[in-house]
Amino acid sequence: MSLQDVEAKINAVVEKKPELSEKVTAKLEKILNDLENLSVDDGEKTGFDKVHAGFDKFKTKVYNKNTELTEKLKTGQWPKLMIVACSDSRVCPTQIFKLAPGDAFIVRNVANMVPAYEAEGNPSVGSAVEYAVLHLKVDHIFVVGHRACGGIGALVKMCPDDGEYKTTFIENWCQIGKPARALVKEAHKDESVEDLCKYCEKESVNNSLKNLLSYPFVVDAVKEGKITLHGGYYDHIEGTFEKWDFEA
């Protein structure tokens, strides 16, 4: 019997017996969720096996079930939140914050970096910020760092001040965080490299928030009270999260 058959039978029971208590209904839903998780994770499945199974689950549990949201999103998007997060596979913001489709406009890159404004610079992050602020008119921009970030590790351990980089892209990108590294090294001169990385993971978030204020349209929106900036730090090892507001 397939997972879809099991779900159909459970849904049939719930529909035919509306007198079932909330406790029983919740138990049936938990059983189904457990089976769905097994269907994705059981065995030696590849990434694309999980993509296929995951989409089937999304189609059943979200797309087909929440038709009001699905129909609304067919005509556009109106997120109130922009998130800048790391590309690290362990720190997906939609999972951590349990976001639904349409909730957030998200940019992910190595070490959740926001470069300073340059009219002729790399447009990748800048175009996303511009679109979020001027067109989507988000209310909040949230930069989220995390523990054991490989990009911050590269910043602390690999990026020389003279720019003699050993990699083609990584160090050149992570040098955006050099101001954060300088502050951390000055404030924690006798700390271990591991501790410097932890401090820098948080300070780099503040550095990206400062860089956001080099974008003229962000400055205008902040001055007009249309946007607030926030920082966050997810410790996936301890299972904790910190959030702070950034004072412009």
Side-chain angles (χ1 to χ4, degrees):
M1 181 181 295
S2 69
L3 178 62
Q4 288 75 16
D5 292 334
V6 174
E7 181 175 18
K9 286 182 176 294
I10 289 178
N11 289 336
V13 170
V14 173
E15 291 174 2
K16 289 180 179 179
K17 297 186 177 181
E19 71 277 8
L20 288 174
S21 68
E22 290 184 4
K23 186 175 181 180
V24 173
T25 302
K27 182 67 174 178
L28 289 172
E29 290 180 350
K30 182 180 184 304
I31 291 172
L32 183 59
N33 286 333
D34 289 343
L35 287 172
E36 288 173 336
N37 290 333
L38 284 173
S39 72
V40 173
D41 298 325
D42 189 35
E44 296 295 326
K45 291 187 179 292
T46 68
F48 275 97
D49 289 330
K50 291 186 177 183
V51 165
H52 180 75
F55 179 75
D56 286 345
K57 181 178 178 181
F58 166 78
K59 184 74 177 291
T60 302
K61 302 295 289 184
V62 179
Y63 191 90
N64 289 340
K65 194 170 185 179
N66 194 345
T67 54
E68 182 179 353
L69 175 62
T70 300
E71 290 301 314
K72 179 182 178 181
L73 294 180
K74 287 180 181 180
T75 62
Q77 59 169 326
W78 303 268
K80 296 301 182 183
L81 173 65
M82 177 182 185
I83 297 176
V84 180
C86 186
S87 298
D88 193 300
S89 61
R90 300 166 293 182
V91 293
C92 178
T94 55
Q95 291 292 318
I96 296 169
F97 305 125
K98 289 300 178 185
L99 300 175
D103 282 347
F105 186 68
I106 300 175
V107 171
R108 297 182 71 178
N109 60 47
V110 172
N112 41 272
M113 299 274 188
V114 177
Y117 175 84
E118 290 183 84
E120 302 300 326
N122 189 316
S124 177
V125 177
S127 63
V129 175
E130 186 176 48
Y131 187 72
V133 174
L134 298 183
H135 298 280
L136 295 178
K137 300 187 184 303
V138 298
D139 295 333
H140 307 274
I141 301 180
F142 191 19
V143 180
V144 181
H146 71 96
R147 186 169 172 185
C149 178
I152 298 300
L155 171 65
V156 172
K157 303 170 190 176
M158 296 169 60
C159 293
D161 291 326
D162 60 10
E164 292 291 329
Y165 301 141
K166 298 178 181 179
T167 61
T168 303
F169 300 111
I170 297 171
E171 292 161 287
N172 187 46
W173 172 253
C174 290
Q175 59 87 26
I176 293 168
K178 279 185 175 180
R181 183 182 70 178
L183 287 174
V184 166
K185 285 190 172 182
E186 179 63 28
H188 305 278
K189 293 180 180 179
D190 299 323
E191 300 282 354
S192 67
V193 172
E194 181 180 358
D195 286 336
L196 288 176
C197 286
K198 289 181 185 178
Y199 292 125
C200 200
E201 285 160 0
K202 295 182 181 180
E203 190 56 44
S204 181
V205 170
N206 288 328
N207 184 65
S208 285
L209 289 165
K210 291 175 186 175
N211 285 345
L212 279 168
L213 291 174
S214 67
Y215 292 75
F217 43 86
V218 174
V219 173
D220 291 343
V222 169
K223 285 182 177 179
E224 294 169 9
K226 296 178 179 179
I227 283 184
T228 54
L229 307 181
H230 314 270
Y233 181 76
Y234 173 46
D235 186 332
H236 59 87
I237 296 174
E238 299 295 332
T240 59
F241 188 82
E242 301 174 45
K243 176 189 170 296
W244 60 92
D245 296 329
F246 187 73
E247 297 297 332

